[in-house]
Amino acid sequence: MAKTLMKGSEAIAEAAIRAGARYFFGYPITPQTEIPEYMSARMPEVGGCFLQAESEVAAINMIYGAAGTGARAITSSSSPGISLKQEGISYCAGARLPAVILNVMRGGPGLGNIQASQGDYFQAVKGGGNGDYHLLTYAPSSVQEAIDIMMYAYDKAEQYRIPVLFIADGIIAQMMEPVEMPDFVDFKIDPEKKPWACTGWKPGDDPEKRGVINSIYISTEELAAHNDVLQAMYKEVVANEQQWEYYNCENAEFIITAFGTVARIAKSAINELKEQGINVGLVRPITVWPFPYDAVSKAVNAESVKAVLDVELNEGQMLQDVKLAVNGTKPVDFYGHCGSQMPTTDEIVTKIISMKEGK
Amino acid sequence: MSVVFEKTKLLTDKTFHYCPGCNHGIIHRLVAESIDELIKEGVIEEGKVIGVAPVGCSVFAYDYFNCDMYEAAHGRAPAVATGAKRVVGNDALVFTYQGDGDLASIGTAEIVHAAHRGEKICTIFVNNAIYGMTGGQMAPTTLVGQKTTTSPYGRDEAWCGAPIRVSEMLATIPGSYYIERCAVNNNANINKTKRAIKKAFTYQMQGKGFCLIEVLSTCPTNWGLSPVEAMKWLEENMIPYYPLGVKKDKEAE
Ligand SMILES: Cc1ncc(C[n+]2csc(CCOP(=O)(O)OP(=O)(O)O)c2C)c(N)n1
Ligand code: SF4
Ligand SMILES: [Mg+2]
């Protein structure tokens, strides 16, 4: 298939449409406004619906409404807007609605800035909204990877009945890359596959098939039972859906952990260090929930590895999960900046050299 | 022998949890009967009804209305209904059922913009001038001087404003199609309320636009009154401030 040069945000939007998304609800915010803009032009062409909501709060609740009918719905935003969506995200998780949410992260806290950031890692994987829930959370490091994941994101969301979140730093949305765009999948709402959805029900029909999209379970027993169902599902996701990439881990003296764009910079640093005779490996989580603890631990616990360096475009968030994975077996160092100051190849090289020199 | 009266099919057999004398029960009946009758009249297709319950005393409305239902976050029902309606289109009736705290306080943005977009949904707005579910706090609709658990000296207009007249406000929005305020304080008004609900649902099925029926309602429990006294209080205090009648009907204009 021929590759075409596409801007990240537009490529991701197109992939969502090809994956069957026909309902987009969103609100403008930099650096992801190209997604709603693209959707506003593209959805009418494919018989879909683009609606500019009055706020991110409304947009995520429109997702709740659309996903509850069994349709494939999508919303996108950037950090402050994703904060506003947290209420609705928690409700979607509680009501077990499959949907896709995109966060093109910018610097924070608060209004922060509009540059690329990875500052919402905690929000994405450690909660965000209220209650015991998780989102199947992908952190693509290239436009192509974002497209490829999008093509099965709805299948996963529907299989487990879990909302899927993409966290991408602003760079991935803003850069142009040559990509291969997959074919359209054939998606139609199938009431048989989604007996829980509001697809039309009348008195006399199977009561089990009445759509009741709900997250309230007022009795202690019922809520406990509901959470048991959720926890059992999360266990399955943890068992089946972890994804990561190993790069140059064999005989590595140091292991770098990084996700998203930062992992690409780390790869350049690793290549440069190799030329200088220092062998460094990379573990790049592709799913950040479920976090690939065992994969990190396995790479780090190889005999050759002296220490671990976690690099992020924030002040050290995934660092906590890396430390849990390493569990004290090796020293873990951190290098990173808050939003907008992307760590450079040189900085990572220098940091590894200083670690090697025991500084 | 002919059947002259049947329990409406659009209500489940579940016993209402509402307090004695609460108007929520009457309003549920009217909504359900309206849908039932419109199905019989061929206006609504059987099995093509989606309701959205609020957060408030009617949070369990999904247990009572015998159709596809959502339970929305507090105030967000119009956004949820929008998402559903954009998928099901003119095939199905989509309605929200919301209290005054839900709609006139935390959910103002969602209701105003559903009206503004001319969203083809109907809202049943139950105004009892108080937050019933949380135990009787002040709402934006609480009358001046009315005592609640968060306005123990009576609502002070200088401090927190005068109550919002939601129907009048929404009627000024170009996108709204039909807005009427009703009450269920006597048989005549109950019949009027049902006619209004049926008209709103019919307009929606004709693809017309956003419709809202406000129903003044009692909360004997949190008003600290008996059911009979509460109805009298509604007549003497609420109806004068919240005048009944059609606020907007684009069809009639
Ligand atoms: C985000 C959020 N804030 C507050 C609440 C608590 N709460 C539940 S019901 C309610 C008020 C409901 O009042 P109203 O809409 O007037 O309905 P009524 O009970 O009077 O019918 C509040 C504040 C909540 N559930 N969610
Ligand atoms: S608290 Fe008020 S609104 Fe709620 S059920 Fe009781 S009487 Fe009705
Ligand atoms: Mg109320």
Side-chain angles (χ1 to χ4, degrees):
Chain A
M1 206 188 290
K3 288 199 175 189
T4 45
L5 199 61
M6 278 186 94
K7 192 168 182 172
S9 45
E10 297 183 351
I12 295 167
E14 179 63 26
I17 288 173
R18 291 184 182 221
R22 288 295 179 278
Y23 298 90
F24 179 92
F25 305 97
Y27 189 82
I29 182 170
T30 310
Q32 64 80 54
T33 302
E34 292 84 351
I35 297 174
E37 283 173 348
Y38 185 86
M39 290 295 197
S40 70
R42 191 74 175 106
M43 278 301 188
E45 290 177 358
V46 295
C49 159
F50 164 86
L51 194 64
Q52 183 168 320
E54 61 270 31
S55 69
E56 291 86 350
V57 174
I60 189 69
N61 282 285
M62 290 172 186
I63 292 288
Y64 185 90
T69 67
R72 288 187 164 178
I74 182 164
T75 183
S76 71
S77 189
S78 177
S79 311
I82 294 290
S83 294
L84 275 187
K85 287 187 199 289
Q86 292 304 326
E87 174 196 50
I89 289 174
S90 171
Y91 276 71
C92 286
R96 304 193 59 198
L97 289 178
V100 171
I101 302 145
L102 307 175
N103 181 7
V104 179
M105 293 179 283
R106 59 187 250 183
L111 212 43
N113 67 9
I114 57 170
Q115 310 303 325
S117 166
Q118 297 183 326
D120 303 344
Y121 180 92
F122 282 154
Q123 186 193 52
V125 305
K126 305 289 178 199
N130 60 298
D132 283 294
Y133 77 90
H134 300 281
L135 307 173
L136 175 49
T137 307
Y138 294 101
S141 80
S142 70
V143 178
Q144 186 67 55
E145 189 174 51
I147 294 170
D148 294 344
I149 295 170
M150 184 64 79
M151 294 314 291
Y152 57 76
Y154 283 99
D155 296 335
K156 299 288 179 197
E158 288 165 1
Q159 176 187 346
Y160 297 103
R161 291 188 60 190
I162 190 173
V164 169
L165 173 68
F166 283 66
I167 54 169
D169 51 69
I171 304 270
I172 290 175
Q174 297 296 322
M175 72 182 162
M176 307 263 304
E177 281 197 307
V179 295
E180 239 175 66
M181 193 53 75
D183 283 340
F184 281 80
V185 303
D186 189 20
F187 172 78
K188 279 191 187 63
I189 299 172
D190 181 351
E192 292 303 314
K193 284 193 188 150
K194 293 180 175 167
W196 48 266
C198 293
T199 49
W201 182 92
K202 58 182 182 301
D205 288 352
D206 180 357
E208 294 292 313
K209 290 190 176 161
R210 182 165 78 97
V212 180
I213 308 299
N214 176 36
S215 68
I216 184 172
Y217 295 85
I218 205 74
S219 86
T220 313
E221 295 74 21
E222 277 178 315
L223 183 62
H226 175 59
N227 270 289
D228 287 348
V229 170
L230 287 175
Q231 291 303 319
M233 178 267 283
Y234 295 141
K235 256 194 184 155
E236 265 189 63
V237 177
V238 168
N240 302 328
E241 300 303 334
Q242 292 177 35
Q243 283 190 54
W244 65 91
E245 181 195 356
Y246 283 144
Y247 181 76
N248 197 52
C249 285
E250 215 163 301
N251 295 320
E253 199 177 334
F254 297 96
I255 292 289
I256 293 178
T257 51
F259 69 99
T261 304
V262 179
R264 291 171 74 164
I265 298 166
K267 279 186 189 172
S268 307
I270 287 168
N271 296 343
E272 242 173 67
L273 285 159
K274 205 166 202 171
E275 283 170 22
Q276 299 183 29
I278 306 173
N279 203 23
V280 179
L282 169 77
V283 188
R284 175 176 74 89
I286 299 170
T287 52
V288 285
W289 197 90
F291 187 81
Y293 289 105
D294 291 345
V296 172
S297 150
K298 198 171 148 222
V300 166
N301 285 325
E303 227 171 287
S304 60
V305 176
K306 287 201 190 111
V308 181
L309 176 66
D310 178 60
V311 189
E312 297 179 61
L313 187 50
N314 58 38
E315 301 291 351
Q317 299 192 15
M318 186 174 79
L319 177 63
Q320 291 192 354
D321 283 321
V322 170
K323 282 186 174 172
L324 280 174
V326 174
N327 201 17
T329 57
K330 304 274 164 85
V332 179
D333 211 335
F334 174 73
Y335 190 79
H337 300 295
C338 72
S340 82
Q341 290 170 281
M342 189 62 85
T344 63
T345 310
D346 283 353
E347 285 171 350
I348 298 172
V349 168
T350 309
K351 177 71 188 173
I352 290 282
I353 290 172
S354 79
M355 285 169 74
K356 188 171 165 74
E357 289 168 354
K359 282 181 192 158
Chain B
M1 214 169 46
S2 66
V3 178
V4 287
F5 181 79
E6 264 183 321
K7 178 183 158 289
T8 165
K9 279 208 270 179
L10 254 290
L11 285 178
T12 63
D13 289 333
K14 188 116 178 171
T15 310
F16 288 157
H17 69 283
Y18 300 113
C19 308
C22 175
N23 289 176
H24 269 305
I26 302 173
I27 301 164
H28 278 28
R29 253 285 285 282
L30 296 179
V31 170
E33 284 182 5
S34 299
I35 296 170
D36 243 359
E37 287 171 21
L38 289 171
I39 288 172
K40 288 198 186 98
E41 291 164 25
V43 177
I44 300 172
E45 192 184 328
E46 196 180 15
K48 297 283 185 191
V49 180
I50 295 177
V52 184
V55 175
C57 277
S58 47
V59 66
F60 299 121
Y62 62 85
D63 264 349
Y64 306 138
F65 289 116
N66 210 8
C67 55
D68 280 335
M69 288 293 295
Y70 289 79
E71 202 300 301
H74 198 18
R76 317 295 178 221
V80 171
T82 296
K85 184 69 180 181
R86 293 287 171 150
V87 180
V88 299
N90 279 343
D91 285 354
L93 177 81
V94 178
F95 71 94
T96 72
Y97 185 104
Q98 301 177 256
D100 47 325
D102 192 81
L103 182 145
S105 190
I106 197 166
T108 42
E110 286 74 15
I111 196 68
V112 165
H113 285 276
H116 151 243
R117 288 189 301 270
E119 208 61 59
K120 289 164 190 62
I121 59 170
C122 297
T123 292
I124 310 300
F125 168 42
V126 180
N127 179 1
N128 57 10
I130 207 157
Y131 285 18
M133 192 196 203
T134 40
Q137 295 76 34
M138 187 178 73
T141 43
T142 295
L143 297 181
V144 170
Q146 189 183 335
K147 286 185 177 159
T148 69
T149 62
T150 52
S151 58
Y153 308 111
R155 181 181 183 142
D156 178 358
E157 183 175 346
W159 192 255
C160 47
I164 301 179
R165 293 186 182 97
V166 167
S167 288
E168 284 80 353
M169 174 180 77
L170 293 179
T172 66
I173 296 175
S176 61
Y177 193 83
Y178 167 52
I179 312 272
E180 180 164 351
R181 185 181 290 118
C182 305
V184 289
N185 58 317
N186 57 44
N187 286 347
N189 280 345
I190 288 176
N191 288 335
K192 269 193 196 164
T193 304
K194 184 159 156 189
R195 272 202 298 277
I197 293 171
K198 280 184 79 170
K199 184 152 88 172
F201 288 173
T202 304
Y203 282 159
Q204 183 187 149
M205 295 319 291
Q206 293 167 348
K208 297 243 160 90
F210 177 81
C211 302
L212 177 138
I213 306 303
E214 174 174 350
V215 188
L216 301 182
S217 183
T218 56
C219 178
T221 302
N222 289 305
W223 292 357
L225 300 171
S226 73
V228 174
E229 288 166 346
M231 205 63 103
K232 194 155 173 269
W233 190 88
L234 179 146
E235 286 165 354
E236 288 173 357
N237 297 280
M238 286 185 79
I239 293 179
Y241 188 83
Y242 296 116
L244 306 183
V246 177
K247 307 297 162 188
K248 183 179 193 177
D249 185 349
K250 275 195 187 171
E251 184 101 330
E253 277 164 17

